[in-house]
Each structure stands twice: as C-alpha cells, then as structure tokens.
Amino acid sequence: MMKRILRTLPGLAAVSSVAALGLMPLPAAAQYYDPSATLDSSTGTQVPVSGYGAPPPPVMGSFDWSGGYIGGVVGYGWSSSDVDYSFFSNTVKPQGVSGGIVGGMNFMLTPMFLAGLEADATWNGLSDKKDLGIAEVTMRSDWQISARGRAGVVFDRFLVYGTAGLSFNNVEMSAANASNSQTLVGYAVGLGAEALLTQHITTRAEFIYTGYADADFSVGPAAKATFDQGVLRAGVGYKF
C-alpha cells in the first residue's frame, strides 16, 4: 500500500504544478509577443525595435477651410481696348493699380475638395491715352465688381483654386472735349493659391481675367470699343 502511494506522488506534483501555472497571471511583458523585438539580457524582457510595435506618431490636426471670410486685395492691372472711329482705329492699353475688398463662403465637399462663392469690389486706376488721328482718346477703368464661383484642392493649410463668374466694369472714354461712361457686363475667370496662416488669418495670390462685349461710346463721333482686362493681385483675409 505504501509503495503504491509513493509511486503516485510524482504525478500529483506535476499536475499541481501545471494547475498552479494556469492560475498564476503572467507578467505584462510576457503576455504579448513582438516577433521583431530584441531580448534585454539584463531584465529578460522584450525591447521593441524602433518603427515596429511602437505607438504611431500623433496625427496633426488639419485646418478647417469651411465658413465665411472677408479681406482686402491689391494689385496691378493691364487692359486692352480696340477703339474704332469708322475709318480710324487704334488700340488703347490702360494700366495701373487696382485694389478693394473681397468676401465669400467656403464649403468642404470632401476633406480634400472645396467649393464656394465669392464677390469683390475694386477701385481701378487703369488709364491710357492714344492719338487716333481725328481725336486724342483716353480710356480708363474706374471700378469693377464681380460675383464668382470658386473650386479648389486643399492640401492641409494650402488651397489651389480656379474661379469663374460674372463681372461688371465701369469704363470711361474721353475724346473731342466729351466723355462717356459705360458699365460693361462680361465674364471673369481666374486661378489662385491661398494659405491659412492661422485658423482665421489667410493670405492669397491670384490672377483674374475679365472680358466684355463691344460697347458704343458717344464722344463726338460715335465710337465702338472692345475691352478686356487682367489683374494680378495679392490679399489678406479673415476667416470666421
């Protein structure tokens, strides 16, 4: 009987050891295994290899372009006007400084694509004088208003966009001691880039081209004139 008990003791000890191991919690370092980790010989724990198993870097917060904005723009403009006095014609090329205010609303279609509406009102100091043979003609653009759509691609704090819409330009012709002013209606197209310096302060650079239908000016003899204009400008704005 005693011999039988002694023969069973080793088996009972092994079973007890396995049970004890199953009930004891493993150390935290041993609960997870990283196949790329190296073993620290001094502590017996795994050391993660840099770039594998380490926590991902924090994600930078993206800039929000949506909402309304207002700002100011200033630049330089070039225009061209073909003036036709029946048998006499020539091209007048007014140019000068242009500046004013701009405002609009942005809508984020996706995290990368933006669409919006924009309007501006600018004072134009563009003028030129040309001798057409029968008269000395002066052409000038005094003010301009446009209402446009805008669409672009967002790269975090940077925006690259195109714009198109309707434009109104007040053009005055003077000749033969007479002057006549016309508000021309046409189209506006342009390209630009904008950056968010902060969540509220923006800066931009853009080129806007406008073209208009022929207009009749009554300055002594009747004259017909075309008019188109391009403005390269920069601006600063506040986004609400």
Side-chain angles (χ1 to χ4, degrees):
M1 183 68 176
M2 182 60 68
K3 291 181 179 180
R4 185 181 299 173
I5 293 173
L6 292 175
R7 284 198 300 267
T8 60
L9 286 177
L12 292 174
V15 171
S16 301
S17 300
V18 172
L21 289 173
L23 295 175
M24 291 176 60
L26 293 173
Q31 294 181 24
Y32 304 99
Y33 174 67
D34 182 352
S36 73
T38 59
L39 185 66
D40 189 335
S41 59
S42 62
T43 63
T45 60
Q46 288 183 321
V47 180
V49 176
S50 176
Y52 188 100
V59 179
M60 299 295 291
S62 59
F63 286 79
D64 182 13
W65 283 89
S66 60
Y69 59 90
I70 191 170
V73 290
V74 63
Y76 198 85
W78 300 264
S79 58
S80 178
S81 177
D82 293 328
V83 181
D84 186 4
Y85 264 115
S86 297
F87 299 103
F88 299 90
S89 64
N90 209 331
T91 301
V92 185
K93 296 184 176 181
Q95 57 181 291
V97 177
S98 173
I101 59 173
V102 61
M105 179 73 71
N106 290 327
F107 305 93
M108 296 302 299
L109 304 180
T110 72
M112 193 173 179
F113 295 101
L114 171 151
L117 300 173
E118 184 171 277
D120 63 4
T122 58
W123 168 84
N124 293 333
L126 285 67
S127 65
D128 188 28
K129 183 184 295 185
K130 186 80 68 174
D131 189 352
L132 299 188
I134 62 170
E136 189 176 66
V137 173
T138 299
M139 294 284 290
R140 58 181 296 118
S141 171
D142 294 321
W143 56 262
Q144 186 176 8
I145 296 173
S146 73
R148 295 170 280 106
R150 194 167 75 139
V153 182
V154 172
F155 303 95
D156 196 30
R157 69 169 68 222
F158 300 101
L159 168 67
V160 179
Y161 61 88
T163 183
L166 196 62
S167 178
F168 304 87
N169 199 323
N170 183 257
V171 176
E172 181 183 274
M173 177 187 289
S174 300
N177 298 319
S179 64
N180 185 216
S181 180
Q182 301 278 354
T183 300
L184 309 182
V185 180
Y187 64 90
V189 294
L191 293 171
E194 192 170 358
L196 277 169
L197 303 181
T198 70
Q199 278 287 14
H200 296 288
I201 305 300
T202 68
T203 182
R204 69 166 63 190
E206 61 187 5
F207 177 77
I208 305 293
Y209 175 84
T210 53
Y212 305 93
D214 296 358
D216 294 320
F217 291 86
S218 300
V219 283
K224 184 181 290 290
T226 64
F227 197 85
D228 58 82
Q229 177 177 298
V231 177
L232 182 63
R233 64 191 189 184
V236 176
Y238 182 85
K239 187 180 76 66
F240 300 102

